[in-house]
Every structure is written in structure tokens, then in C-alpha cells.
Amino acid sequence: MNTAQHADISRLRRSNPEIFNRPLVERVRDWGLWITFLAVFAFGLWWIDASPMRIINGLNKLGMLVVLMIPPWPGDGLLDYLRAMLETLAMAFLGTVIAAVLAVPLGFLGAKNIVPNWLFHFSLRRFFDAFRGIDGLVWALIFVSAVGLGPFAGVLAIAVGDVMVLGKLFAEAIENVDKKPVDGVRASGGSGLHVMRLGVFPQVFPVMMSHVLYFFESNVRSATILGIVGAGGIGLQLSDRMRINNWQEAAFIILLILVTVSIIDAISRRIRAKLT
């Protein structure tokens, strides 16, 4: 180590002594946190009964299933699978659009710079958080019980599951807008509605659309899972083929889902890049 390196280390020791000589209390605290983390992790593995033998047995069974899936083959149900895939896309599209439309006014109501009342703002944000804590699969089970089997239950599950999340994201985007256009609309005599329409909305629209496109991508995948619990679409077809151990057709459906999702992701990524 040359003289220049010694000088650099000496300078770092003087400017950041806590890096080279941390207090004993901090070191004990960090070690305690790491030990606690490892203990919780080990307890979790014990609680779920994880063991190397179970992993080995699971991999053996998975290998058998993969062998049964080769080659993927649609059989006589190709048209049914394509129709179900279109149904899944329709579920994702309708659910996302409904959620986005409902989330726009909720986003404006939840933004501090639009509605400055702290009690209303706090209550609405906690309302958002309460709904966000319920997974889309739970909503699907609820709506399947309420309105029956089929894609309508899936659309409702996606819409209700996304509207609060989008509302929160929209509110955060509105809170971060540039104040100059807003002040300009107000200075020209615009009303509160004009401020939102001309001063705020044009700024947040690209961000909103980016969020909506991302949620549409995610909902295409989610709609597949929702179908397994009876909400229609390609997930229902996949569940039926797996239930009767028709693994070749199940593999074809999985490949169809992967190709469709990849195409949607690629198109959505290009659109989002242009918007942002």
C-alpha cells in the first residue's frame, strides 16, 4: 500500500470515524438484529415443515409432470382455448378500465393539494388501505358467490381490487404536480373545476395512463388465476385440464398464456415509454 492510499485511509478515518471504529452498542444492536432475523427465518422454515427430503420428493414429482406435459398439444379444444383466452383479455381490459374511471375522482379527493381537509384526507387514505389489504382472489371468491360463475365475477373482482390502489397512486401523482400551471389557471379567473381540468389533469394524465397500462398487464395474469376459482376465462380451462390429469393440453394452455402475456407486456412497454 503506497503513501497516497495511506493518506486516503487516514482522511476517511478522520471524516467518518464511525465506519472504522463503531461503538460497541451499535455493533451489539446489529448482531442482535441479524440473530433475530435468522431465528425468525429458521422458525418459519420449521413451522411450514420445510425439509430437504420434501424438496427432493417435490422435484421428482415435478419432473414426472414435466415429462407428461411433453409435447404440449391442444387436442380438439384449440378454438375453445383461444375463445377462453380472449375472454381472459376482455376480463382484464374491462376490469382495468372500470377501476381507472372510478379511481380518477377518488385520486382527486385523496390529494392534499385538492382537498386540504386533513381529517377527510386521512379517512380516505385509510379507506384505500383497507381495500388494498384484500387480495383479488378473495374478491373473486366473493363475487362468484354473489353473481355466479363466469367472467362477470372476474371483471368485478379486478375492478374492485384495483380501484383503491389506482386511487392512491393517482392521488400521489396529483400531489406532486407543478404549481405554476395551477396558479396560472387561478390567476386567469378559472374555477376549481377549471384548475383540475386545465392545470392538474394534463400533468398527471401520462402518469395515470402509465399506471393503468401496467395494471392491465398485471390483470391479464391475474385474470388467469381468477378463472381457476370459477371466474371464467382461460384459467377455468386450465383448471379443468389439470383436474383430469390432461397434462399435454395443460402445457399448451400454459404456453398460450405465456405468449399472450409476453405480447401484452411488449406492447404496453412501448406505449408507456412514449407516454413518460
Side-chain angles (χ1 to χ4, degrees):
M1 187 178 296
N2 56 37
T3 306
Q5 290 175 329
H6 276 295
D8 291 338
I9 294 176
S10 299
R11 186 166 57 253
L12 285 173
R13 285 182 181 275
R14 290 193 301 271
S15 59
N16 300 282
E18 69 280 358
I19 296 178
F20 297 91
N21 188 20
R22 297 182 62 201
L24 178 62
V25 175
E26 292 186 7
R27 284 182 287 169
V28 171
R29 180 199 61 190
D30 291 348
W31 276 107
L33 290 174
W34 276 110
I35 292 172
T36 303
F37 169 77
L38 293 175
V40 171
F41 184 74
F43 175 78
L45 292 177
W46 172 81
W47 184 265
I48 64 174
D49 194 21
S51 66
M53 187 55 63
R54 293 190 67 183
I55 295 174
I56 293 172
N57 293 335
L59 290 175
N60 290 333
K61 292 180 181 179
L62 182 60
M64 293 174 56
L65 292 179
V66 171
V67 172
L68 293 174
M69 287 181 175
I70 298 173
W73 183 251
D76 298 330
L78 179 60
L79 292 179
D80 292 335
Y81 300 152
L82 294 176
R83 190 180 302 112
M85 193 71 243
L86 290 175
E87 189 175 85
T88 297
L89 292 174
M91 287 167 52
F93 177 76
L94 292 173
T96 305
V97 170
I98 293 171
V101 171
L102 295 176
V104 171
L106 290 175
F108 276 96
L109 290 174
K112 293 179 182 179
N113 53 341
I114 302 298
V115 181
N117 187 301
W118 72 269
L119 181 59
F120 177 82
H121 178 268
F122 177 82
S123 301
L124 187 61
R125 286 296 183 93
R126 300 295 75 75
F127 181 68
F128 289 168
D129 294 339
F131 268 75
R132 288 192 302 117
I134 303 176
D135 188 75
L137 192 61
V138 177
W139 287 118
L141 291 170
I142 292 173
F143 284 116
V144 164
S145 300
V147 302
L149 299 172
F152 182 51
V155 171
L156 293 177
I158 291 173
V160 174
D162 286 355
V163 64
M164 298 303 170
V165 184
L166 285 173
K168 185 176 185 296
L169 293 173
F170 289 177
E172 291 175 352
I174 293 168
E175 288 176 349
N176 293 317
V177 297
D178 187 359
K179 294 182 179 180
K180 292 180 181 178
V182 175
D183 294 337
V185 175
R186 284 177 179 158
S188 62
S191 63
L193 184 61
H194 290 142
V195 169
M196 289 187 290
R197 170 65 183 83
L198 302 174
V200 176
F201 192 72
Q203 296 188 62
V204 298
F205 180 74
V207 179
M208 288 180 172
M209 284 302 301
S210 179
H211 287 316
V212 171
L213 287 170
Y214 177 78
F215 269 72
F216 174 63
E217 295 176 27
S218 178
N219 287 335
V220 172
R221 293 183 286 268
S222 298
T224 302
I225 304 301
L226 299 184
I228 294 177
V229 298
I234 195 68
L236 186 59
Q237 296 284 349
L238 178 60
S239 177
D240 288 341
R241 295 305 172 274
M242 295 173 69
R243 190 178 298 113
I244 63 175
N245 291 324
N246 192 337
W247 295 106
Q248 287 183 313
E249 293 189 20
F252 179 84
I253 294 173
I254 292 171
L255 289 177
L256 179 62
I257 294 170
L258 291 175
V259 171
T260 303
V261 170
S262 298
I263 294 173
I264 296 294
D265 286 349
I267 296 173
S268 178
R269 194 182 308 115
R270 290 178 177 272
I271 297 175
R272 286 204 314 271
K274 290 185 177 181
L275 286 173
T276 57

